[in-house]
Amino acid sequence: MLALGASACASAGRSAGDGDLAYPFAGLSSVRGTDAAAEARSAYPVVFQVVDDPAQTEEVDARPLRRDLSHVPVDGRSYRALRAIAVAFFELHARAERRRGEGLYFVYSFQATKVIAIPWRLYGEIPDVGLRSVILDFYEDVMFGAKPGLGPVRGRYTRMVADLARKESDAALLARIEELVDRARALTPEPVR
């Protein structure tokens, strides 16, 4: 019983630690130029061919990101994939915002949405509480962070985070999801469908 409690504490504490297991972008206004962004480009060149070239309008090839994020057992590649997802999303979203009101806005916005949906789709299949916590760090940054242009789309991502509750079995993470959703809805009521 004691070993089980120690294991749970160690797993839950991963997202708050230093190094490869932490979410590195909270509080930053841009991911560009960070060591984690450089690592993402190096680890996933196929993904960043589309991200780094505004002339590319096709979908991002997300297969390597999905493969590594869903790797069991969870290890460093899982966290590296999540960091790459964050970099790709923030850069694609920023590109879309620069083109708001133009036809390419929708293309870039769709690219960004496909990327941010990767952890949402895989969330229920990830057995590690620490990695799920870092995924929530990412979504918290999307909803409340300092990156420009995210406020207007907060409602869209609030629904995505709210949906994670049905995939979450850990009481602490479930409470965190509910807190994030309540905070977001207080700031940006979701549009009526």
Side-chain angles (χ1 to χ4, degrees):
M1 189 77 140
L2 185 59
L4 205 99
S7 171
C9 288
S11 180
R14 285 185 201 173
S15 67
D18 294 328
D20 289 343
L21 304 183
Y23 178 77
F25 305 120
L28 300 179
S29 60
S30 173
V31 297
R32 197 165 275 279
T34 63
D35 290 344
E39 178 196 23
R41 283 180 167 75
S42 173
Y44 300 101
V46 169
V47 171
F48 284 92
Q49 281 177 340
V50 174
V51 174
D52 291 335
D53 183 357
Q56 300 277 352
T57 57
E58 68 267 3
E59 286 184 36
V60 172
D61 182 354
R63 289 175 297 185
L65 297 171
R66 285 192 301 263
R67 178 196 64 229
D68 288 354
L69 184 62
S70 64
H71 185 268
V72 177
V74 167
D75 60 14
R77 79 187 93 181
S78 309
Y79 289 85
R80 183 180 62 224
L82 182 61
R83 290 190 300 274
I85 288 165
V87 171
F89 168 75
F90 287 126
E91 292 193 6
L92 288 167
H93 177 76
R95 179 185 300 156
E97 287 301 305
R98 287 190 298 272
R99 303 302 290 265
R100 189 175 276 278
E102 300 174 25
L104 284 175
Y105 167 78
F106 293 106
V107 171
Y108 298 147
S109 182
F110 182 71
Q111 288 173 330
T113 300
K114 294 286 276 191
V115 170
I116 196 173
I118 296 166
W120 171 80
R121 281 190 206 104
L122 294 173
Y123 190 88
E125 300 169 29
I126 294 172
D128 187 81
V129 173
L131 180 55
R132 293 197 317 270
S133 179
V134 176
I135 289 171
L136 293 180
D137 291 344
F138 166 51
Y139 285 134
E140 182 172 14
D141 194 20
V142 169
M143 292 173 18
F144 306 108
K147 282 93 180 152
L150 288 165
V153 294
R154 183 181 296 121
R156 180 184 326 158
Y157 300 124
T158 301
R159 288 189 298 275
M160 180 180 280
V161 172
D163 189 56
L164 295 178
R166 66 181 179 80
K167 303 176 183 187
E168 184 54 72
S169 59
D170 180 82
L173 291 184
L174 186 56
R176 184 170 175 210
I177 290 168
E178 291 168 356
E179 185 271 328
L180 289 173
V181 170
D182 289 348
R183 217 166 92 201
R185 287 179 174 155
L187 290 172
T188 310
E190 294 177 45
V192 177
R193 291 185 182 191

